[in-house]
Each structure stands twice: as C-alpha cells, then as structure tokens.
Short mmCIF file of all heavy atoms in Angstrom, two decimals:
data_model
loop_
_atom_site.label_atom_id
_atom_site.label_comp_id
_atom_site.label_asym_id
_atom_site.label_seq_id
_atom_site.Cartn_x
_atom_site.Cartn_y
_atom_site.Cartn_z
N ARG B 1 122.71 88.30 71.38
CA ARG B 1 122.35 88.05 72.78
C ARG B 1 121.51 89.19 73.31
O ARG B 1 121.76 90.35 73.00
CB ARG B 1 123.61 87.91 73.63
CG ARG B 1 124.35 86.65 73.34
CD ARG B 1 125.41 86.36 74.35
NE ARG B 1 125.84 87.52 75.11
CZ ARG B 1 127.03 87.67 75.62
NH1 ARG B 1 127.93 86.75 75.43
NH2 ARG B 1 127.35 88.73 76.32
N PRO B 2 120.52 88.89 74.13
CA PRO B 2 119.72 89.97 74.70
C PRO B 2 120.56 90.81 75.65
O PRO B 2 121.42 90.30 76.36
CB PRO B 2 118.61 89.25 75.45
CG PRO B 2 119.08 87.85 75.62
CD PRO B 2 120.09 87.58 74.54
N ASN B 3 120.31 92.10 75.64
CA ASN B 3 121.02 93.00 76.53
C ASN B 3 120.26 93.05 77.85
O ASN B 3 119.18 93.61 77.95
CB ASN B 3 121.09 94.39 75.90
CG ASN B 3 121.90 95.36 76.73
OD1 ASN B 3 121.86 95.32 77.95
ND2 ASN B 3 122.60 96.24 76.05
N ARG B 4 120.82 92.45 78.89
CA ARG B 4 120.13 92.37 80.19
C ARG B 4 119.90 93.74 80.81
O ARG B 4 118.88 93.97 81.42
CB ARG B 4 120.91 91.47 81.13
CG ARG B 4 120.90 90.02 80.69
CD ARG B 4 121.68 89.16 81.67
NE ARG B 4 121.96 87.87 81.10
CZ ARG B 4 121.23 86.79 81.34
NH1 ARG B 4 120.22 86.85 82.13
NH2 ARG B 4 121.55 85.64 80.79
N THR B 5 120.84 94.64 80.64
CA THR B 5 120.68 95.98 81.20
C THR B 5 119.51 96.69 80.53
O THR B 5 118.68 97.31 81.19
CB THR B 5 121.97 96.81 81.03
OG1 THR B 5 123.03 96.12 81.66
CG2 THR B 5 121.83 98.18 81.61
N ARG B 6 119.42 96.58 79.23
CA ARG B 6 118.33 97.22 78.49
C ARG B 6 116.99 96.61 78.90
O ARG B 6 116.01 97.32 79.07
CB ARG B 6 118.56 97.07 76.99
CG ARG B 6 117.68 97.98 76.17
CD ARG B 6 118.04 97.96 74.71
NE ARG B 6 119.41 98.37 74.52
CZ ARG B 6 120.16 97.99 73.50
NH1 ARG B 6 119.69 97.18 72.59
NH2 ARG B 6 121.41 98.39 73.40
N SER B 7 116.94 95.31 79.08
CA SER B 7 115.71 94.64 79.50
C SER B 7 115.30 95.08 80.89
O SER B 7 114.11 95.32 81.15
CB SER B 7 115.90 93.12 79.48
OG SER B 7 116.15 92.67 78.19
N ALA B 8 116.26 95.20 81.80
CA ALA B 8 115.95 95.63 83.16
C ALA B 8 115.43 97.05 83.18
O ALA B 8 114.48 97.37 83.91
CB ALA B 8 117.19 95.50 84.04
N ARG B 9 116.03 97.90 82.37
CA ARG B 9 115.55 99.29 82.29
C ARG B 9 114.14 99.36 81.74
O ARG B 9 113.31 100.12 82.24
CB ARG B 9 116.48 100.12 81.40
CG ARG B 9 117.76 100.49 82.06
CD ARG B 9 118.56 101.38 81.17
NE ARG B 9 119.89 101.56 81.71
CZ ARG B 9 120.91 102.00 81.01
NH1 ARG B 9 120.75 102.31 79.73
NH2 ARG B 9 122.08 102.15 81.57
N ALA B 10 113.87 98.58 80.72
CA ALA B 10 112.53 98.57 80.14
C ALA B 10 111.51 98.07 81.15
O ALA B 10 110.41 98.62 81.27
CB ALA B 10 112.50 97.71 78.87
N ARG B 11 111.87 97.06 81.90
CA ARG B 11 110.97 96.52 82.92
C ARG B 11 110.70 97.56 84.01
O ARG B 11 109.57 97.74 84.44
CB ARG B 11 111.59 95.26 83.52
CG ARG B 11 110.75 94.57 84.55
CD ARG B 11 111.44 93.28 84.98
NE ARG B 11 110.74 92.64 86.05
CZ ARG B 11 109.69 91.84 85.89
NH1 ARG B 11 109.23 91.59 84.68
NH2 ARG B 11 109.10 91.29 86.92
N HIS B 12 111.76 98.25 84.46
CA HIS B 12 111.60 99.27 85.49
C HIS B 12 110.75 100.44 84.96
O HIS B 12 109.90 100.96 85.67
CB HIS B 12 112.97 99.76 85.96
CG HIS B 12 112.87 100.73 87.09
ND1 HIS B 12 112.60 100.34 88.38
CD2 HIS B 12 113.00 102.07 87.11
CE1 HIS B 12 112.55 101.42 89.15
NE2 HIS B 12 112.81 102.47 88.41
N THR B 13 110.98 100.82 83.72
CA THR B 13 110.18 101.89 83.11
C THR B 13 108.72 101.49 83.05
O THR B 13 107.82 102.30 83.34
CB THR B 13 110.72 102.22 81.70
OG1 THR B 13 112.08 102.65 81.83
CG2 THR B 13 109.90 103.30 81.03
N HIS B 14 108.46 100.26 82.68
CA HIS B 14 107.09 99.74 82.61
C HIS B 14 106.44 99.77 83.99
O HIS B 14 105.32 100.23 84.15
CB HIS B 14 107.10 98.32 82.05
CG HIS B 14 105.77 97.66 82.00
ND1 HIS B 14 104.74 98.11 81.21
CD2 HIS B 14 105.29 96.60 82.69
CE1 HIS B 14 103.69 97.33 81.40
NE2 HIS B 14 103.99 96.43 82.29
N ALA B 15 107.17 99.30 84.99
CA ALA B 15 106.64 99.29 86.36
C ALA B 15 106.35 100.70 86.84
O ALA B 15 105.29 100.97 87.44
CB ALA B 15 107.63 98.61 87.30
N THR B 16 107.26 101.62 86.57
CA THR B 16 107.07 103.01 86.98
C THR B 16 105.85 103.61 86.29
O THR B 16 105.06 104.30 86.92
CB THR B 16 108.33 103.84 86.67
OG1 THR B 16 109.44 103.24 87.34
CG2 THR B 16 108.18 105.27 87.11
N ALA B 17 105.70 103.33 85.01
CA ALA B 17 104.54 103.85 84.27
C ALA B 17 103.23 103.30 84.85
O ALA B 17 102.24 104.03 84.98
CB ALA B 17 104.65 103.49 82.79
N LEU B 18 103.22 102.02 85.20
CA LEU B 18 102.02 101.44 85.80
C LEU B 18 101.67 102.14 87.11
O LEU B 18 100.51 102.51 87.34
CB LEU B 18 102.23 99.94 86.07
CG LEU B 18 102.31 99.03 84.86
CD1 LEU B 18 102.73 97.63 85.27
CD2 LEU B 18 100.97 98.99 84.13
N LEU B 19 102.67 102.35 87.94
CA LEU B 19 102.43 102.99 89.24
C LEU B 19 102.06 104.45 89.08
O LEU B 19 101.21 104.98 89.80
CB LEU B 19 103.63 102.79 90.16
CG LEU B 19 103.91 101.33 90.50
CD1 LEU B 19 105.21 101.21 91.28
CD2 LEU B 19 102.76 100.72 91.27
N ARG B 20 102.66 105.13 88.12
CA ARG B 20 102.30 106.53 87.85
C ARG B 20 100.87 106.64 87.36
O ARG B 20 100.21 107.64 87.60
CB ARG B 20 103.24 107.13 86.81
CG ARG B 20 104.55 107.51 87.37
CD ARG B 20 105.39 108.22 86.37
NE ARG B 20 106.61 108.67 87.01
CZ ARG B 20 107.65 109.13 86.36
NH1 ARG B 20 107.64 109.20 85.06
NH2 ARG B 20 108.72 109.52 87.03
N ALA B 21 100.42 105.62 86.67
CA ALA B 21 99.06 105.63 86.16
C ALA B 21 98.05 105.20 87.22
O ALA B 21 96.87 105.05 86.92
CB ALA B 21 98.96 104.69 84.95
N ALA B 22 98.53 105.03 88.44
CA ALA B 22 97.68 104.65 89.57
C ALA B 22 97.00 103.30 89.35
O ALA B 22 95.89 103.06 89.81
CB ALA B 22 96.65 105.73 89.87
N VAL B 23 97.70 102.41 88.64
CA VAL B 23 97.21 101.05 88.48
C VAL B 23 97.27 100.38 89.85
O VAL B 23 98.23 100.56 90.59
CB VAL B 23 98.09 100.27 87.46
CG1 VAL B 23 97.72 98.81 87.42
CG2 VAL B 23 97.97 100.90 86.09
N ARG B 24 96.21 99.66 90.18
CA ARG B 24 96.20 98.96 91.47
C ARG B 24 97.44 98.08 91.60
O ARG B 24 97.87 97.44 90.64
CB ARG B 24 94.94 98.12 91.60
CG ARG B 24 93.68 98.92 91.79
CD ARG B 24 92.46 98.07 92.16
NE ARG B 24 92.56 96.66 91.92
CZ ARG B 24 92.00 96.04 90.88
NH1 ARG B 24 91.30 96.70 90.00
NH2 ARG B 24 92.14 94.73 90.74
N LEU B 25 97.98 98.06 92.79
CA LEU B 25 99.21 97.31 93.05
C LEU B 25 99.06 95.84 92.69
O LEU B 25 99.98 95.22 92.16
CB LEU B 25 99.61 97.48 94.51
CG LEU B 25 101.06 97.26 94.87
CD1 LEU B 25 102.00 98.05 93.98
CD2 LEU B 25 101.29 97.60 96.31
N GLU B 26 97.90 95.28 92.93
CA GLU B 26 97.65 93.87 92.61
C GLU B 26 97.76 93.64 91.10
O GLU B 26 98.30 92.63 90.65
CB GLU B 26 96.28 93.42 93.10
CG GLU B 26 96.12 93.45 94.60
CD GLU B 26 95.75 94.83 95.16
OE1 GLU B 26 95.53 95.78 94.38
OE2 GLU B 26 95.72 94.96 96.39
N VAL B 27 97.22 94.58 90.33
CA VAL B 27 97.26 94.45 88.87
C VAL B 27 98.69 94.62 88.37
O VAL B 27 99.17 93.85 87.54
CB VAL B 27 96.31 95.47 88.21
CG1 VAL B 27 96.44 95.47 86.70
CG2 VAL B 27 94.87 95.20 88.62
N ALA B 28 99.38 95.65 88.88
CA ALA B 28 100.77 95.88 88.48
C ALA B 28 101.63 94.66 88.80
O ALA B 28 102.45 94.23 87.99
CB ALA B 28 101.32 97.12 89.17
N SER B 29 101.43 94.10 89.98
CA SER B 29 102.19 92.93 90.39
C SER B 29 101.98 91.77 89.43
O SER B 29 102.92 91.07 89.04
CB SER B 29 101.79 92.53 91.81
OG SER B 29 102.51 91.41 92.23
N GLU B 30 100.74 91.57 89.02
CA GLU B 30 100.44 90.48 88.08
C GLU B 30 101.05 90.74 86.71
O GLU B 30 101.63 89.85 86.09
CB GLU B 30 98.93 90.30 87.96
CG GLU B 30 98.54 89.10 87.13
CD GLU B 30 97.06 88.83 87.17
OE1 GLU B 30 96.38 89.21 88.14
OE2 GLU B 30 96.57 88.21 86.20
N LEU B 31 100.94 91.98 86.23
CA LEU B 31 101.51 92.32 84.92
C LEU B 31 103.03 92.20 84.91
O LEU B 31 103.62 91.86 83.88
CB LEU B 31 101.10 93.75 84.52
CG LEU B 31 99.62 93.94 84.19
CD1 LEU B 31 99.30 95.42 84.03
CD2 LEU B 31 99.27 93.17 82.91
N LEU B 32 103.64 92.46 86.05
CA LEU B 32 105.09 92.35 86.16
C LEU B 32 105.54 90.93 86.48
O LEU B 32 106.73 90.67 86.60
CB LEU B 32 105.60 93.31 87.24
CG LEU B 32 105.42 94.79 86.92
CD1 LEU B 32 105.63 95.64 88.16
CD2 LEU B 32 106.36 95.21 85.80
N THR B 33 104.59 90.04 86.60
CA THR B 33 104.80 88.62 86.92
C THR B 33 105.58 88.42 88.20
O THR B 33 106.42 87.52 88.31
CB THR B 33 105.46 87.84 85.76
OG1 THR B 33 106.77 88.34 85.52
CG2 THR B 33 104.62 87.91 84.49
N HIS B 34 105.31 89.28 89.18
CA HIS B 34 105.90 89.09 90.50
C HIS B 34 105.14 87.99 91.22
O HIS B 34 103.94 87.80 91.01
CB HIS B 34 105.83 90.38 91.32
CG HIS B 34 106.78 91.43 90.85
ND1 HIS B 34 106.64 92.75 91.15
CD2 HIS B 34 107.91 91.34 90.10
CE1 HIS B 34 107.63 93.44 90.62
NE2 HIS B 34 108.41 92.60 89.97
N GLY B 35 105.82 87.29 92.09
CA GLY B 35 105.21 86.19 92.83
C GLY B 35 104.18 86.66 93.85
O GLY B 35 103.29 85.90 94.22
N SER B 36 104.33 87.91 94.28
CA SER B 36 103.39 88.45 95.26
C SER B 36 103.38 89.96 95.17
O SER B 36 104.30 90.58 94.63
CB SER B 36 103.79 88.04 96.68
OG SER B 36 104.99 88.71 97.05
N VAL B 37 102.34 90.56 95.73
CA VAL B 37 102.25 92.01 95.79
C VAL B 37 103.39 92.55 96.66
O VAL B 37 103.94 93.62 96.39
CB VAL B 37 100.87 92.45 96.33
CG1 VAL B 37 100.81 93.94 96.57
CG2 VAL B 37 99.77 92.02 95.36
N GLN B 38 103.77 91.80 97.68
CA GLN B 38 104.86 92.22 98.55
C GLN B 38 106.16 92.40 97.76
O GLN B 38 106.93 93.33 98.02
CB GLN B 38 105.05 91.23 99.70
CG GLN B 38 106.03 91.71 100.75
CD GLN B 38 105.55 92.96 101.47
OE1 GLN B 38 104.39 93.03 101.88
NE2 GLN B 38 106.41 93.94 101.61
N THR B 39 106.39 91.54 96.79
CA THR B 39 107.59 91.67 95.95
C THR B 39 107.57 93.00 95.21
O THR B 39 108.58 93.70 95.14
CB THR B 39 107.68 90.51 94.94
OG1 THR B 39 107.73 89.28 95.67
CG2 THR B 39 108.89 90.64 94.04
N THR B 40 106.43 93.35 94.65
CA THR B 40 106.29 94.62 93.94
C THR B 40 106.52 95.79 94.89
O THR B 40 107.25 96.73 94.57
CB THR B 40 104.89 94.73 93.31
OG1 THR B 40 104.65 93.58 92.51
CG2 THR B 40 104.77 95.98 92.44
N MET B 41 105.93 95.71 96.08
CA MET B 41 106.09 96.78 97.05
C MET B 41 107.55 96.89 97.47
O MET B 41 108.09 98.00 97.57
CB MET B 41 105.20 96.52 98.27
CG MET B 41 103.74 96.72 97.95
SD MET B 41 102.53 96.34 99.24
CE MET B 41 103.39 96.37 100.75
#
C-alpha cells in the first residue's frame, strides 16, 4: 500500500523546492495540479 504520509511529504518538498526556485506561482500551481493559483497560495 502506498504510504500517504510519505507521499504528502514528497509533495510538500516538491512544492517548497518550486517556490524556493522562484518558479512563477501559476507554473507551480499547474505542476502541483491545484485547481487554482489561490489553492497554492
């Protein structure tokens, strides 16, 4: 079974890395498959 905690941590790490890299919020939101930029914010 997939470890949900591990997946959530990996997703958060990925999001943090995107934002640290100054990736535009619109691009980060799309890569994270959020429904809107507001969700990412």
